[in-house]
Amino acid sequence: MEWEGSYGVGTRGTRSWATIHPGYMTSFTNHGAVDFTVEDGSLVPHLNSEESIEITNMFAELVNEAGPSDWSSYTWYQVSNDLAQGKAAMTYDASNWAIFHNVPGEAPEAGNIGVTTPPRTKEGDLGTNMWVWSIAMNKSSEKKDAAWLFMQYFTGKEHMQWGGAIEANVVDPVRKSVFESEEYQQRIGDIEGYVETFNELIDESTIKFTPQPEFFNTTTEWAAALQDIVNGADAEERMNQLNDDIEKRVSRIRAE
Protein backbone atom coordinates (compact mmCIF):
# COMPACT_ATOMS: atom_id res chain seq x y z
CA MET A 1 0.00 0.00 0.00
CA GLU A 2 1.29 3.47 -0.88
CA TRP A 3 0.67 6.68 1.05
CA GLU A 4 1.42 10.20 -0.14
CA GLY A 5 3.78 8.95 -2.83
CA SER A 6 5.67 6.59 -0.52
CA TYR A 7 5.56 2.85 0.10
CA GLY A 8 6.97 0.21 2.43
CA VAL A 9 9.58 -2.05 0.82
CA GLY A 10 11.52 -1.59 -2.41
CA THR A 11 12.70 -4.61 -4.40
CA ARG A 12 13.62 -5.16 -8.03
CA GLY A 13 10.87 -6.43 -10.32
CA THR A 14 11.83 -6.39 -14.00
CA ARG A 15 11.90 -9.52 -16.17
CA SER A 16 15.63 -9.95 -15.60
CA TRP A 17 18.15 -12.07 -13.73
CA ALA A 18 18.77 -8.97 -11.60
CA THR A 19 15.36 -9.34 -9.94
CA ILE A 20 16.20 -12.79 -8.58
CA HIS A 21 19.63 -12.36 -7.08
CA PRO A 22 19.31 -9.86 -4.19
CA GLY A 23 16.47 -10.09 -1.64
CA TYR A 24 14.50 -12.88 -3.28
CA MET A 25 17.46 -15.29 -3.63
CA THR A 26 18.55 -14.50 -0.09
CA SER A 27 15.14 -15.46 1.30
CA PHE A 28 14.91 -18.40 -1.11
CA THR A 29 18.03 -20.06 0.30
CA ASN A 30 17.44 -19.03 3.91
CA HIS A 31 14.05 -20.75 3.63
CA GLY A 32 15.82 -23.99 2.68
CA ALA A 33 15.21 -23.95 -1.09
CA VAL A 34 17.84 -24.69 -3.74
CA ASP A 35 17.83 -23.87 -7.45
CA PHE A 36 19.58 -27.04 -8.73
CA THR A 37 21.28 -30.20 -7.62
CA VAL A 38 23.65 -32.32 -9.70
CA GLU A 39 22.44 -35.90 -10.07
CA ASP A 40 24.25 -38.48 -12.20
CA GLY A 41 26.10 -35.67 -13.95
CA SER A 42 22.94 -33.76 -14.86
CA LEU A 43 21.49 -30.53 -13.51
CA VAL A 44 18.14 -31.08 -11.82
CA PRO A 45 16.07 -27.96 -11.04
CA HIS A 46 14.10 -27.74 -7.82
CA LEU A 47 12.17 -24.53 -8.37
CA ASN A 48 8.88 -26.28 -7.62
CA SER A 49 9.92 -27.68 -4.25
CA GLU A 50 7.71 -27.07 -1.23
CA GLU A 51 10.22 -24.56 0.16
CA SER A 52 10.49 -22.73 -3.17
CA ILE A 53 6.73 -22.35 -3.55
CA GLU A 54 6.33 -21.22 0.07
CA ILE A 55 8.97 -18.50 -0.10
CA THR A 56 7.83 -17.33 -3.52
CA ASN A 57 4.31 -16.88 -2.16
CA MET A 58 5.71 -14.92 0.78
CA PHE A 59 7.77 -12.69 -1.48
CA ALA A 60 4.81 -12.03 -3.78
CA GLU A 61 2.71 -11.11 -0.74
CA LEU A 62 5.44 -8.68 0.38
CA VAL A 63 5.44 -6.98 -3.01
CA ASN A 64 1.67 -6.76 -3.18
CA GLU A 65 1.22 -5.51 0.37
CA ALA A 66 4.20 -3.17 0.67
CA GLY A 67 5.85 -2.64 -2.72
CA PRO A 68 5.43 0.10 -5.33
CA SER A 69 2.49 -0.11 -7.71
CA ASP A 70 4.86 -0.22 -10.71
CA TRP A 71 7.11 -2.88 -9.16
CA SER A 72 7.60 -4.78 -12.45
CA SER A 73 9.51 -1.80 -13.86
CA TYR A 74 11.90 -1.50 -10.93
CA THR A 75 15.63 -2.03 -11.49
CA TRP A 76 18.63 -1.44 -9.22
CA TYR A 77 18.42 2.26 -10.02
CA GLN A 78 14.75 2.80 -9.15
CA VAL A 79 15.01 0.91 -5.87
CA SER A 80 18.20 2.70 -4.89
CA ASN A 81 16.83 6.12 -5.78
CA ASP A 82 13.59 5.55 -3.87
CA LEU A 83 15.58 4.73 -0.74
CA ALA A 84 17.83 7.76 -1.15
CA GLN A 85 14.87 10.09 -1.75
CA GLY A 86 12.82 8.76 1.15
CA LYS A 87 10.10 7.35 -1.09
CA ALA A 88 10.71 3.78 0.13
CA ALA A 89 10.65 3.20 3.88
CA MET A 90 13.13 0.36 3.39
CA THR A 91 14.62 -1.78 0.63
CA TYR A 92 15.49 -5.45 0.41
CA ASP A 93 18.51 -5.25 -1.82
CA ALA A 94 22.15 -4.10 -1.91
CA SER A 95 23.80 -3.26 1.41
CA ASN A 96 26.32 -0.92 -0.22
CA TRP A 97 23.66 1.74 -0.77
CA ALA A 98 23.98 2.53 2.91
CA ILE A 99 27.56 3.61 2.24
CA PHE A 100 27.30 5.96 -0.70
CA HIS A 101 23.79 7.29 -0.03
CA ASN A 102 24.88 8.31 3.47
CA VAL A 103 27.57 10.66 2.18
CA PRO A 104 26.58 14.16 3.44
CA GLY A 105 24.77 16.06 0.71
CA GLU A 106 24.51 13.05 -1.62
CA ALA A 107 20.80 12.42 -1.07
CA PRO A 108 17.87 13.73 0.99
CA GLU A 109 18.12 10.70 3.31
CA ALA A 110 21.90 10.91 3.78
CA GLY A 111 22.70 10.03 7.37
CA ASN A 112 19.36 8.31 7.92
CA ILE A 113 20.07 4.97 6.23
CA GLY A 114 20.96 1.92 8.31
CA VAL A 115 21.41 -1.80 7.69
CA THR A 116 19.95 -4.88 9.34
CA THR A 117 19.66 -8.61 8.69
CA PRO A 118 17.17 -10.10 6.22
CA PRO A 119 13.80 -11.32 7.53
CA ARG A 120 13.92 -14.82 8.97
CA THR A 121 11.30 -17.30 7.75
CA LYS A 122 12.79 -20.44 9.33
CA GLU A 123 15.16 -21.34 12.11
CA GLY A 124 18.72 -22.05 11.06
CA ASP A 125 21.71 -20.27 9.58
CA LEU A 126 21.08 -16.82 8.18
CA GLY A 127 23.13 -15.56 5.23
CA THR A 128 22.78 -13.57 2.04
CA ASN A 129 23.29 -14.13 -1.64
CA MET A 130 26.52 -12.43 -2.58
CA TRP A 131 26.88 -10.70 -5.93
CA VAL A 132 30.37 -10.25 -7.39
CA TRP A 133 31.97 -8.53 -10.34
CA SER A 134 35.21 -9.80 -11.83
CA ILE A 135 38.06 -8.54 -13.94
CA ALA A 136 39.84 -10.83 -16.37
CA MET A 137 42.01 -10.82 -19.46
CA ASN A 138 41.09 -12.52 -22.70
CA LYS A 139 43.75 -15.04 -23.64
CA SER A 140 43.58 -13.66 -27.19
CA SER A 141 44.59 -10.17 -26.05
CA GLU A 142 47.36 -8.64 -28.15
CA LYS A 143 48.29 -6.26 -25.31
CA LYS A 144 48.71 -8.62 -22.39
CA ASP A 145 51.34 -6.55 -20.60
CA ALA A 146 49.19 -3.41 -20.71
CA ALA A 147 46.09 -5.34 -19.68
CA TRP A 148 47.92 -6.95 -16.77
CA LEU A 149 49.17 -3.57 -15.54
CA PHE A 150 45.64 -2.17 -15.84
CA MET A 151 44.25 -5.05 -13.79
CA GLN A 152 47.00 -4.73 -11.19
CA TYR A 153 46.38 -1.03 -10.75
CA PHE A 154 42.62 -1.18 -10.29
CA THR A 155 42.71 -4.22 -7.99
CA GLY A 156 45.78 -3.08 -6.08
CA LYS A 157 45.76 -2.10 -2.43
CA GLU A 158 46.68 1.55 -3.04
CA HIS A 159 43.82 2.26 -5.46
CA MET A 160 41.31 0.23 -3.46
CA GLN A 161 42.27 2.00 -0.26
CA TRP A 162 41.86 5.39 -1.94
CA GLY A 163 38.63 4.44 -3.68
CA GLY A 164 36.94 2.41 -0.99
CA ALA A 165 38.18 3.76 2.28
CA ILE A 166 39.10 7.39 1.78
CA GLU A 167 37.97 9.37 -1.24
CA ALA A 168 35.62 7.62 -3.66
CA ASN A 169 32.72 5.16 -3.71
CA VAL A 170 34.41 1.85 -4.50
CA VAL A 171 32.45 0.63 -1.55
CA ASP A 172 32.99 -3.14 -1.64
CA PRO A 173 36.74 -3.63 -1.20
CA VAL A 174 37.70 -7.25 -1.74
CA ARG A 175 41.09 -6.89 -0.09
CA LYS A 176 41.02 -7.87 3.57
CA SER A 177 43.72 -5.32 4.38
CA VAL A 178 41.56 -2.52 2.97
CA PHE A 179 38.37 -3.74 4.64
CA GLU A 180 40.14 -3.95 7.99
CA SER A 181 41.93 -0.61 7.61
CA GLU A 182 41.18 2.09 10.16
CA GLU A 183 39.77 4.41 7.46
CA TYR A 184 37.32 1.89 6.03
CA GLN A 185 36.22 0.64 9.42
CA GLN A 186 35.50 4.22 10.41
CA ARG A 187 33.50 4.74 7.22
CA ILE A 188 31.23 1.75 7.77
CA GLY A 189 31.26 2.23 11.53
CA ASP A 190 29.36 5.48 11.09
CA ILE A 191 26.43 3.59 9.47
CA GLU A 192 23.88 2.26 11.90
CA GLY A 193 23.92 -1.55 12.00
CA TYR A 194 26.40 -2.04 9.14
CA VAL A 195 29.28 -3.64 11.05
CA GLU A 196 26.99 -5.71 13.28
CA THR A 197 24.99 -7.00 10.30
CA PHE A 198 28.14 -7.79 8.31
CA ASN A 199 29.63 -9.78 11.18
CA GLU A 200 26.41 -11.71 11.73
CA LEU A 201 25.93 -12.68 8.08
CA ILE A 202 29.35 -12.97 6.47
CA ASP A 203 30.09 -16.60 7.37
CA GLU A 204 26.92 -17.79 5.60
CA SER A 205 27.03 -15.26 2.72
CA THR A 206 28.04 -16.86 -0.55
CA ILE A 207 26.99 -17.03 -4.19
CA LYS A 208 23.82 -19.05 -3.69
CA PHE A 209 23.20 -19.86 -7.36
CA THR A 210 24.43 -23.12 -8.83
CA PRO A 211 26.98 -22.10 -11.49
CA GLN A 212 25.83 -23.15 -14.96
CA PRO A 213 26.03 -21.66 -18.47
CA GLU A 214 22.30 -20.97 -18.77
CA PHE A 215 22.31 -18.68 -15.73
CA PHE A 216 21.04 -15.53 -17.44
CA ASN A 217 18.34 -17.36 -19.37
CA THR A 218 17.07 -19.41 -16.44
CA THR A 219 16.98 -16.48 -14.04
CA THR A 220 15.18 -14.31 -16.59
CA GLU A 221 12.51 -17.00 -16.97
CA TRP A 222 12.41 -17.24 -13.17
CA ALA A 223 11.80 -13.49 -12.91
CA ALA A 224 8.95 -13.77 -15.43
CA ALA A 225 7.35 -16.45 -13.26
CA LEU A 226 7.76 -14.27 -10.18
CA GLN A 227 6.02 -11.41 -12.01
CA ASP A 228 3.14 -13.71 -12.92
CA ILE A 229 2.75 -14.84 -9.31
CA VAL A 230 2.80 -11.27 -8.03
CA ASN A 231 0.08 -10.56 -10.60
CA GLY A 232 -2.11 -13.36 -9.27
CA ALA A 233 -0.96 -16.62 -10.87
CA ASP A 234 -1.08 -19.70 -8.65
CA ALA A 235 2.43 -20.14 -7.26
CA GLU A 236 2.49 -23.95 -7.32
CA GLU A 237 1.18 -24.16 -10.86
CA ARG A 238 3.47 -21.45 -12.18
CA MET A 239 6.58 -22.82 -10.46
CA ASN A 240 5.82 -26.29 -11.82
CA GLN A 241 5.70 -24.80 -15.30
CA LEU A 242 8.92 -22.88 -14.67
CA ASN A 243 10.66 -25.99 -13.41
CA ASP A 244 9.63 -27.96 -16.51
CA ASP A 245 10.81 -25.16 -18.82
CA ILE A 246 14.16 -24.85 -17.09
CA GLU A 247 14.64 -28.62 -16.98
CA LYS A 248 14.37 -28.63 -20.78
CA ARG A 249 16.73 -25.68 -21.08
CA VAL A 250 19.52 -27.26 -19.00
CA SER A 251 19.07 -30.82 -20.23
CA ARG A 252 22.02 -30.48 -22.61
CA ILE A 253 24.41 -29.57 -19.78
CA ARG A 254 26.58 -32.26 -18.31
CA ALA A 255 28.29 -31.55 -15.00
CA GLU A 256 31.72 -33.08 -14.60
Side-chain angles (χ1 to χ4, degrees), residues 126-128 130 196-206:
L126 194 64
T128 61
M130 186 180 294
E196 295 83 355
T197 301
F198 179 91
N199 290 335
E200 183 172 348
L201 297 177
I202 188 59
D203 288 343
E204 299 298 330
S205 294
T206 59

Side-chain angles (χ1 to χ4, degrees), residues 36 43-45 212 214 217-218 221 240-253:
F36 296 93
L43 277 173
V44 179
Q212 46 89 12
E214 288 284 348
N217 292 322
T218 56
E221 291 184 24
N240 280 331
Q241 178 189 342
L242 173 67
N243 203 75
D244 289 345
D245 292 343
I246 287 181
E247 188 171 29
K248 294 172 185 174
R249 182 176 285 278
V250 302
S251 60
R252 65 176 181 82
I253 300 170

Side-chain angles (χ1 to χ4, degrees), residues 51-228:
E51 295 82 2
S52 173
I53 293 167
E54 285 177 352
I55 197 61
T56 302
N57 262 325
M58 291 180 193
F59 194 87
E61 183 179 359
L62 173 71
V63 173
N64 281 316
E65 292 292 328
S69 58
D70 51 348
W71 168 79
S72 62
S73 69
Y74 265 58
T75 67
W76 188 96
Y77 301 99
Q78 283 75 32
V79 183
S80 173
N81 186 64
D82 280 5
L83 179 69
Q85 298 297 318
K87 183 177 179 180
M90 65 184 74
T91 60
Y92 192 15
D93 206 290
S95 59
N96 59 19
W97 294 341
I99 301 178
F100 53 77
H101 284 326
N102 268 328
V103 175
E106 194 278 336
E109 292 302 320
N112 296 328
I113 299 172
V115 179
T116 191
T117 55
R120 185 185 292 276
T121 59
K122 281 189 174 183
E123 291 301 317
D125 292 332
L126 194 64
T128 61
N129 183 53
M130 186 180 294
W131 186 253
V132 295
W133 296 107
S134 301
I135 185 169
M137 185 196 313
N138 192 307
K139 67 179 181 181
S140 300
S141 171
E142 297 180 358
K143 304 289 184 180
K144 288 186 174 64
D145 289 343
W148 180 242
L149 290 172
F150 177 91
M151 293 165 65
Q152 281 189 314
Y153 176 79
F154 283 103
T155 61
K157 180 179 178 179
E158 182 178 355
H159 178 268
M160 201 169 289
Q161 181 75 14
W162 173 88
I166 302 173
E167 296 291 339
N169 284 327
V170 186
V171 294
D172 295 310
V174 296
R175 287 184 173 270
K176 184 177 182 181
S177 60
V178 175
F179 184 87
E180 293 180 347
S181 70
E182 181 178 349
E183 295 88 349
Y184 190 76
Q185 286 297 307
Q186 180 178 344
R187 187 172 190 181
I188 61 177
D190 291 338
I191 301 168
E192 183 175 354
Y194 193 99
V195 174
E196 295 83 355
T197 301
F198 179 91
N199 290 335
E200 183 172 348
L201 297 177
I202 188 59
D203 288 343
E204 299 298 330
S205 294
T206 59
I207 299 173
K208 302 297 185 183
F209 293 98
T210 301
Q212 46 89 12
E214 288 284 348
F215 169 80
F216 291 106
N217 292 322
T218 56
T219 48
T220 297
E221 291 184 24
W222 195 349
L226 182 58
Q227 284 185 342
D228 289 343

